[in-house]
Amino acid sequence: KAEERILKKVRRKIRNKQSAQDSRRRKKEYLDGLESRAAACSAQNQELRKKIQELEKLNGSLLQQLQALITRTSNKAAQTGTCVLV
C-alpha cells in the first residue's frame, strides 16, 4: 500500500508537471498571437493615418479649386437676356 501511495504521488506530480508545461505553452501561444495582432493593427493604423493625410490634402486642393470657381463666377457681370414672345 505504501508503494501504491508513492506511485500515485509520483504519477500526480508527473501529470501536474505536464499540465503546467501545457499551460505555459498555451499562454505563450496566446501572447504571441496577441503580439501579432497588435503589430498588424499598428501597421494598418499607420496606413490609415497616411490615407487620411492624403485625403485631407486632396480635400484642401478641391476646396481651393471650388473657391476659385466661385470667385470667377461671382466676378462676372450679370448678363441680362431678352425674351421675345411671339
Side-chain angles (χ1 to χ4, degrees):
K1 268 196 164 179
E3 286 182 19
E4 286 179 20
R5 280 189 217 147
I6 293 171
L7 191 57
K8 270 186 171 180
K9 197 180 247 187
V10 169
R11 285 181 182 156
R12 188 175 65 246
K13 283 185 179 183
I14 291 171
R15 281 195 312 266
N16 284 347
K17 184 178 180 179
Q18 184 64 45
S19 179
Q21 286 175 347
D22 291 344
S23 178
R24 286 190 295 272
R25 179 187 48 80
R26 284 192 306 268
K27 184 178 180 181
K28 186 177 182 332
E29 288 174 357
Y30 175 73
L31 287 176
D32 289 344
L34 284 180
E35 288 172 354
S36 295
R37 284 179 54 199
C41 287
S42 182
Q44 183 183 26
N45 195 12
Q46 199 66 19
E47 289 176 26
L48 291 172
R49 287 179 190 272
K50 187 177 178 182
K51 184 75 172 177
I52 287 171
Q53 285 180 342
E54 291 172 3
L55 290 172
E56 284 177 342
K57 196 174 186 180
L58 178 62
N59 192 29
S61 173
L62 290 173
L63 188 58
Q64 285 179 346
Q65 290 178 17
L66 179 61
Q67 288 172 342
L69 263 173
I70 290 171
T71 303
R72 274 192 287 171
T73 56
S74 64
N75 286 343
K76 289 184 179 178
Q79 295 178 355
T80 56
T82 305
C83 181
V84 178
L85 261 161
V86 180

